[in-house]
């Protein structure tokens, strides 16, 4: 199943805070495994070219914005979209909000 993604709060549609529609809920990602490979997949999915910045998904802006929907994201960087990565739903108990 497709996992729609959008970036909120940036100056363009290719900048901002990541939100995913997962199990019927738009939520933020504060996940282990979010890295340059996952960002490459996201930018490919959104048609945004190469990622220039991989924000820490557990930053206060992400953690306090909306419900966290993913606990773990694992991508190789070759996937055409995030739904082809390994996605583990749930709220991470170890989501730091003091960074």
């Amino acid at each position: 199943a497709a996992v729609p993604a959008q970036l909120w709060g940036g100056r363009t549609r290719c900048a901002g805070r990541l939100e995913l529609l997962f199990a019927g809920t738009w939520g933020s990602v504060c996940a282990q495994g979010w890295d340059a490979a996952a960002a490459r997949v996201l930018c490919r999915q959104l048609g945004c070219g190469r990622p220039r910045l991989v924000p820490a998904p557990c930053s206060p802006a992400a953690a306090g914005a909306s419900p966290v929907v993913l606990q773990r994201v694992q991508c190789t960087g070759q996937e055409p979209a995030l739904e082809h990565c390994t996605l583990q739903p749930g709220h991470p108990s170890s989501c730091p909000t003091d960074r």
Side-chain angles (χ1 to χ4, degrees), residues 57-99:
C58 290
S59 66
S66 55
V68 174
V69 292
L70 287 180
Q71 181 172 324
R72 180 180 290 276
V73 175
Q74 287 181 300
C75 302
T76 65
Q78 304 305 312
E79 296 88 351
L82 285 174
E83 63 259 23
H84 299 281
C85 300
T86 301
L87 306 178
Q88 182 180 340
H91 188 285
S93 55
S94 62
C95 187
T97 55
D98 57 354
R99 279 200 262 159

Side-chain angles (χ1 to χ4, degrees), residues 9-87:
R11 288 188 300 237
T12 70
R13 68 177 188 86
C14 291
R17 172 175 46 76
L18 171 63
E19 292 209 337
L20 297 178
L21 182 60
F22 202 81
T25 303
W26 281 104
S28 57
V29 175
C30 179
Q32 294 178 298
W34 185 264
D35 57 11
R40 269 200 307 278
V41 174
L42 171 68
C43 289
R44 183 179 302 126
Q45 178 176 342
L46 295 177
C48 290
R50 292 178 173 218
R52 283 181 300 189
L53 177 66
V54 183
C58 290
S59 66
S66 55
V68 174
V69 292
L70 287 180
Q71 181 172 324
R72 180 180 290 276
V73 175
Q74 287 181 300
C75 302
T76 65
Q78 304 305 312
E79 296 88 351
L82 285 174
E83 63 259 23
H84 299 281
C85 300
T86 301
L87 306 178

